[in-house]
């Protein structure tokens, strides 16, 4: 039975899981959720995720929410197929993957997500991007990227010389960030830029990126 992923491709969190599913060559069905109609706040969806957020994964009688948890489950369930995203045969490398997954969640995401929100989500609500919020978080993101630049001068990817979930988790938010006028924060750091160009050109992500049209869908 194919997995069912409830979400929309333009969503950063749904895109994170979609990329993982494609890397693992998993059989799945994407079940669209109409966010603009508030479908994610209706009882049928809330029964799957009481927090009313996408994505949600259904695997038989198992229901999961939170994109990083879903991706980790997919990477483990299909560890023998597709690309090994968790280094399951090497405990030390697997530990490094977990470290940098935490760094993305606790350091990178809190800095980049408010910037992406201001540029892409705020205008959908009729608001002008708040430059104070953008600048405050650009400073935070810059400090994180300085650490990344040093780390990536010593290894091709964050957890080592291998691509993993730690890198994959950065893709969706960075993809939108690179469409903003502040993309120089990545481009001005040569090792970070090379890393970004590498991970964003992977076939699994290119399949997902074609549907990441946040800010355009409402107009269509």
């Amino acid at each position: 039975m194919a997995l069912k992923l409830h979400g929309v491709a333009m969503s950063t969190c749904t895109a994170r899981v979609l990329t993982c599913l494609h890397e693992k060559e998993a059989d799945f069905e994407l079940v669209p959720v109409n966010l603009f109609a508030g479908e994610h706040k209706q009882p049928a969806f809330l029964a799957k995720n009481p927090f009313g957020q996408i994505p949600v994964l259904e695997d038989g009688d198992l229901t999961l929410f939170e994109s990083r948890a879903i991706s980790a489950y997919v990477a483990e369930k299909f560890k023998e197929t597709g690309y090994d995203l968790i280094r399951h045969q090497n405990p030390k490398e697997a530990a490094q993957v977990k470290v940098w997954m935490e760094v993305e969640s606790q350091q990178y995401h809190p800095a980049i997500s408010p910037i992406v929100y201001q540029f892409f989500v705020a205008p959908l609500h009729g608001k002008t991007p708040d430059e104070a919020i953008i600048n405050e978080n650009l400073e935070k993101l810059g400090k994180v990227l300085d650490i990344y630049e040093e780390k990536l001068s010593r290894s091709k990817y964050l957890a080592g010389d291998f691509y993993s979930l730690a890198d994959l988790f950065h893709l969706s938010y960075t993809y939108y960030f690179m469409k903003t006028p502040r993309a120089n924060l990545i481009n001005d750091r040569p090792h970070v830029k090379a890393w970004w160009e590498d991970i964003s050109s992977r076939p699994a992500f290119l399949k997902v990126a074609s549907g990441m049209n946040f800010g355009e869908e409402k107009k269509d």
Side-chain angles (χ1 to χ4, degrees):
M1 179 184 297
L3 305 176
K4 287 187 177 182
L5 182 67
H6 300 262
V8 288
M10 69 175 183
S11 152
T12 51
C13 293
T14 303
R16 182 177 289 129
V17 178
L18 285 171
T19 305
C20 183
L21 286 164
H22 285 305
E23 286 283 1
K24 300 309 295 179
E25 302 172 0
D27 185 19
F28 70 94
E29 174 190 358
L30 178 62
V31 182
V33 178
N34 191 331
L35 301 180
F36 295 116
E39 185 180 344
H40 56 307
K41 301 299 183 181
Q42 298 304 310
F45 188 88
L46 292 173
K48 297 179 177 65
N49 181 357
F51 296 102
Q53 298 173 331
I54 57 171
V56 167
L57 182 79
E58 292 184 303
D59 183 9
D61 60 358
L62 176 66
T63 300
L64 297 173
F65 48 87
E66 296 296 340
S67 63
R68 293 174 184 81
I70 295 171
S71 298
Y73 171 75
V74 169
E76 177 65 28
K77 177 180 174 71
F78 299 102
K79 63 185 178 183
E80 301 297 340
T81 62
Y83 188 88
D84 181 9
L85 295 169
I86 54 176
R87 310 300 289 183
H88 70 279
Q89 294 183 335
N90 187 317
K92 291 184 178 180
E93 291 180 348
Q96 287 296 328
V97 173
K98 291 176 181 176
V99 166
W100 286 94
M101 285 165 59
E102 285 295 315
V103 171
E104 183 278 330
S105 174
Q106 302 299 319
Q107 305 294 334
Y108 190 84
H109 178 78
I112 199 170
S113 57
I115 302 169
V116 170
Y117 180 92
Q118 289 301 319
F119 277 112
F120 291 93
V121 183
L124 294 180
H125 295 287
K127 299 178 180 179
T128 301
D130 189 320
E131 288 294 329
I133 293 176
I134 291 170
N135 291 332
E136 176 187 354
N137 286 284
L138 284 171
E139 183 178 356
K140 294 177 182 177
L141 183 60
K143 292 177 180 178
V144 174
L145 289 174
D146 285 341
I147 294 172
Y148 278 37
E149 179 69 9
E150 194 282 327
K151 177 66 174 70
L152 291 166
S153 72
R154 295 183 285 109
S155 62
K156 187 174 182 179
Y157 301 101
L158 289 173
D161 290 321
F162 50 84
Y163 178 75
S164 71
L165 275 186
D167 306 291
L168 184 154
F169 281 0
H170 290 75
L171 281 166
S172 56
Y173 269 97
T174 310
Y175 175 81
Y176 283 123
F177 178 80
M178 294 303 288
K179 292 180 175 290
T180 75
R182 311 305 172 86
N184 63 293
L185 225 61
I186 299 286
N187 291 329
D188 289 349
R189 293 168 169 83
H191 293 98
V192 174
K193 182 185 180 192
W195 166 75
W196 168 247
E197 291 175 347
D198 182 327
I199 66 174
S200 62
S201 65
R202 292 180 67 84
F205 181 65
L206 292 177
K207 291 178 183 178
V208 178
S210 63
M212 294 178 69
N213 57 352
F214 208 111
E216 303 172 18
E217 185 158 303
K218 192 174 181 181
K219 300 174 185 177
D220 293 343

